[in-house]
Amino acid sequence: MGNPVIVDTARSPIGRRGGWLSGLHAAELLGAVQQGILNRLELDPALIEQVVGGCVTQAGEQASNITRTAWLHSGLPERTGATTIDAQCGSGQQSVNIVAAQIAAGVIDAGMACGVEAMSRVPLLSNIPDNVGRPRPDDWSLDLPTQFVGADRIAHRRGFTRADLDEFGLRSQQRAALAWQEGRFDRQIIPVEVPGSDGTEATTVSRDQGLRDTSLEALAALAPVLEGGLHTAGTASQISDGAAAAVLMDEDLARSLGLRPRARIVRQCLLGSEVPYLLDGPVLAIEHLLARTGMSLGDIDIVEVNEAFAAVALSAARTHGIDEDRLNVNGGAIALGHPVGSSGVRLVGAAIDELERRDAAHALVAVCAGGAMVSGAIIERV
């Protein structure tokens, strides 16, 4: 049996839809991060026995095991096995959970968890063509809403007003801007080179593109996504391009290689949640993880709840009494973007970085996911 630890995490900058990274194939984007984190660690790639990657829309350029394609395209060892998983928006987090579990079970000694989504080039739902049927049977009767309907249902359920959501959206932008200003994201970023077009020079992207200078007045002026709804483009996650990766090892192997373990997973989960509310799973994940570990929220220093919509994070905070100064302290997907297959890995890295910055011990990560699911973990800094 192994003792899995997270040795390092890294991510690409996050590009807007049609923006800085949209010229890259998903394999190029993910491969840059896979190669980049190994280079940073000065780690022999042959030590990585398996790579597990999250990708939600496995169609077109992201089909046929994009995790393996990216690995090989980067010139990494062909003997390393690779798997691409779809747990919807929880895919990246679940890739970390799977690699950690394989090390704990003694199946492998070292692996990489990762995720990618090039949403500019492979839009969500483009893996559902009309000529091969629909994902659900004709007699499907469950009240599984769209993400926008589910988000508004959560807001109504918890009694959130439009002003509550706008305030949260502004806070995400302000916190992310301050984090960039203070260099808190610097360690995470693997700069990505984007080839020029029409003879122009290549450019290197090293900063997130999604940050917006806004105000409560500007947010209040935005039209809701749904007629009569509460969420707007300012309180929903951005459609984005990005990739992220984490290297995990058995602790004895890491130390024998002179690598410093940064964190370990205390407990992990992938749960189904209430179908009519679709994205309210973080409430359940927090309850489940604390109960399984015997911990309380007083033991948790940092909470990262993916900002699919403002109501998702606010619901978890209100239900469990999470202080504002512990929740998404460097902003989230509303400000930075949400390349869905990779966001869970990004959140793990963000939590570890913030634990180290604060000299704190424990973080809890929860990522709501389509199909009414949630992935999560409690992470302990080593």
Side-chain angles (χ1 to χ4, degrees):
M1 303 294 285
N3 179 24
V5 292
I6 299 171
V7 173
D8 204 5
T9 70
R11 67 177 178 89
S12 72
I14 300 174
R16 289 179 183 169
R17 176 171 51 181
W20 294 340
L21 300 179
S22 61
L24 292 175
H25 190 288
E28 296 172 317
L29 183 54
L30 177 56
V33 177
Q34 291 173 337
Q35 182 71 262
I37 192 171
L38 294 171
N39 289 346
R40 191 164 76 184
L41 289 169
E42 298 182 343
L43 184 66
D44 180 359
L47 290 171
I48 302 297
E49 296 170 79
Q50 287 195 38
V51 187
V52 179
C55 183
V56 174
T57 309
Q58 296 180 36
E61 295 182 2
Q62 294 179 167
S64 299
N65 197 354
I66 184 63
T67 308
R68 172 73 169 168
T69 304
W71 184 265
L72 292 177
H73 185 70
S74 296
L76 295 167
E78 62 182 20
R79 187 159 180 173
T80 301
T83 305
T84 302
I85 63 167
D86 173 14
Q88 297 291 281
C89 297
S91 300
Q93 168 74 69
Q94 183 67 352
S95 74
V96 177
N97 292 347
I98 289 172
V99 174
Q102 287 194 322
I103 295 171
V107 176
I108 61 175
D109 294 319
M112 180 183 292
C114 58
V116 66
E117 211 78 33
M119 300 175 79
S120 296
R121 301 165 70 101
V122 188
L124 283 175
L125 304 181
S126 60
N127 57 336
I128 309 175
D130 292 331
N131 62 343
V132 291
R134 311 304 293 168
R136 302 184 186 114
D138 292 339
D139 60 352
W140 176 272
S141 60
L142 293 175
D143 179 18
L144 183 68
T146 67
Q147 294 197 26
F148 295 106
V149 170
D152 277 356
R153 283 182 180 178
I154 294 170
H156 289 299
R157 181 188 207 184
R158 306 298 181 197
F160 300 139
T161 65
R162 167 70 184 268
D164 293 332
L165 304 180
D166 286 347
E167 287 173 6
F168 186 87
L170 178 62
R171 186 160 66 243
S172 181
Q173 292 285 351
Q174 291 173 335
R175 288 182 169 185
L178 179 62
W180 266 112
Q181 180 183 330
E182 294 186 349
R184 299 183 197 175
F185 293 143
D186 291 351
R187 176 180 178 136
Q188 297 178 19
I189 299 296
I190 299 292
V192 176
E193 186 172 285
V194 180
S197 58
D198 300 326
T200 59
E201 292 186 5
T203 58
T204 299
V205 178
S206 58
R207 187 175 175 85
D208 297 320
Q209 191 180 9
L211 275 72
R212 292 165 288 187
D213 186 12
T214 190
S215 65
L216 284 177
E217 293 75 20
L219 290 171
L222 295 174
V225 176
L226 301 177
E227 186 175 352
L230 294 172
H231 286 88
T232 69
T235 52
S237 55
Q238 299 180 47
I239 295 173
S240 312
D241 306 319
V247 172
L248 294 88
M249 290 184 178
D250 175 71
E251 184 170 6
D252 288 342
L253 173 61
R255 294 192 184 280
S256 73
L257 295 170
L259 298 173
R260 180 180 68 86
R262 298 183 65 199
R264 61 170 50 91
I265 295 176
V266 176
R267 192 82 192 195
Q268 57 162 280
C269 69
L270 179 70
L271 306 171
S273 60
E274 295 172 276
V275 171
Y277 292 96
L278 187 67
L279 304 177
D280 212 17
V283 171
L284 177 62
I286 292 168
E287 176 185 331
H288 173 89
L289 290 167
L290 294 177
R292 287 297 185 95
T293 57
M295 301 173 75
S296 71
L297 268 177
D299 300 314
I300 305 297
D301 302 290
I302 297 296
V303 179
E304 289 281 351
V305 176
N306 191 46
E307 295 174 2
F309 295 87
V312 174
L314 283 172
S315 178
R318 175 168 292 184
T319 303
H320 290 289
I322 301 170
D323 301 332
E324 183 180 306
D325 64 353
R326 287 190 289 169
L327 177 69
N328 298 4
V329 296
N330 293 314
I334 290 173
L336 300 173
H338 181 21
V340 288
S342 68
S343 289
V345 187
R346 181 190 72 78
L347 288 168
V348 169
I352 295 171
D353 283 355
E354 187 62 20
L355 288 177
E356 292 176 345
R357 191 178 77 85
R358 294 188 176 207
D359 192 23
H362 293 100
L364 191 152
V365 176
V367 185
C368 62
M373 296 195 303
V374 59
S375 63
I378 290 177
I379 297 166
E380 178 181 60
R381 182 169 69 95
V382 176

